């Protein structure tokens, strides 16, 4: 839990200070919602996505970074939340309201392959920490993904910004 919190808060800080995201454009759902954060419950996921849907406009890009634990059973996977978990298919239904946006989902969790696969669709970029259902243990991907944004080592074209493509290439190579 401490690692997840550290990764989430560091990525949030990087987006704010290194990449110029506005604070009111970042929503973090963390654990049980202690210390002024919002609980990472299924209810809050739905509520916060509903609020975002009212604020975003066509042409915007929505970035969702999932950090935590995932589980799978058969051909389905869940993101573990506080209280009831959410399947990839259920999360895809929640994201359907953003069909007119460019949507990026970075799933850094265990069992992320099956969960992320359920999110596939037009105008979506999906990055998964795992490649198959056999990879079901905690990943080191969030630490490396964070590092790819943090130090600009992943900046292949040296434009002082790390694109998601550059981050994916950097993270994938280091995880391997």
């Amino acid at each position: 839990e401490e690692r997840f919190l550290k990764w989430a808060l560091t990525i949030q800080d990087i987006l704010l200070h290194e990449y110029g995201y506005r604070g009111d454009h970042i929503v973090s759902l963390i654990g049980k919602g202690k210390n002024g954060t919002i609980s990472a419950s299924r209810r809050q996921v739905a509520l916060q996505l509903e609020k975002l849907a009212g604020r975003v406009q066509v042409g915007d890009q929505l970035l969702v970074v999932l950090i935590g634990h995932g589980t799978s059973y058969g051909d389905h996977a869940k993101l573990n939340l506080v209280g009831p978990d959410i399947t990839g298919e259920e999360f895809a239904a929640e994201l359907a309201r953003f069909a007119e946006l460019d949507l990026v989902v970075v799933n850094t969790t265990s069992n992320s392959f099956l969960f992320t696969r359920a999110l596939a669709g037009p105008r979506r970029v999906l990055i998964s920490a795992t490649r198959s259902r056999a990879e079901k243990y905690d990943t080191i991907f969030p630490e490396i993904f964070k590092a790819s944004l943090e130090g600009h080592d992943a900046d292949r074209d040296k434009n002082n910004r790390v694109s998601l493509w550059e981050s994916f290439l950097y993270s994938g190579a280091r995880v391997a």
Side-chain angles (χ1 to χ4, degrees):
E1 186 175 346
E2 287 178 22
R3 284 184 314 163
F4 296 156
L5 178 61
K6 179 183 171 191
W7 291 331
L9 293 177
T10 302
I11 290 171
Q12 177 178 312
D13 189 58
I14 291 166
L15 293 175
L16 284 167
H17 298 102
E18 296 286 324
Y19 293 92
Y21 282 57
R22 291 179 27 192
D24 63 339
H25 285 200
I26 297 176
V27 178
S28 298
L29 284 70
I30 299 174
K32 294 179 181 167
K34 297 176 185 173
N35 302 323
T37 62
I38 302 169
S39 168
S41 68
R42 190 163 175 180
R43 180 178 169 274
Q44 280 298 330
V45 168
L47 180 62
Q48 295 304 319
L49 288 173
E50 184 179 324
K51 285 181 181 181
L52 275 173
R55 292 190 353 222
V56 296
Q57 301 172 9
V58 174
D60 286 347
Q61 181 184 78
L62 178 61
L63 169 64
V64 177
V65 180
L66 303 173
I67 298 173
H69 290 293
T71 58
S72 67
Y73 56 96
D75 283 338
H76 303 281
K78 291 183 178 182
L79 173 65
N80 298 142
L81 298 173
V82 175
D85 298 333
I86 190 167
T87 67
E89 293 80 8
E90 291 164 339
F91 196 64
E94 290 286 348
L95 295 176
R97 68 185 94 209
F98 301 106
E100 299 300 316
L101 300 182
D102 294 328
L103 176 64
V104 179
V105 178
V106 180
N107 189 340
T108 70
T109 70
S110 51
N111 286 293
S112 55
F113 164 75
L114 286 173
F115 186 93
T116 306
R117 185 175 71 177
L119 306 179
R123 301 184 67 121
R124 294 186 176 183
V125 173
L126 307 171
I127 297 175
S128 175
T130 63
R131 296 183 284 219
S132 74
R133 67 182 61 168
E135 297 174 310
K136 57 186 174 184
Y137 301 105
D138 282 344
T139 72
I140 60 170
F141 190 88
E143 176 67 32
I144 296 168
F145 176 73
K146 173 191 70 74
S148 76
L149 299 173
E150 193 171 37
H152 291 269
D153 289 342
D155 185 10
R156 296 167 70 103
D157 61 7
K158 305 303 178 205
N159 68 350
N160 293 318
R161 289 185 69 85
V162 177
S163 70
L164 287 167
W165 177 244
E166 289 169 323
S167 178
F168 172 74
L169 293 173
Y170 177 94
S171 301
R174 274 142 191 88
V175 167

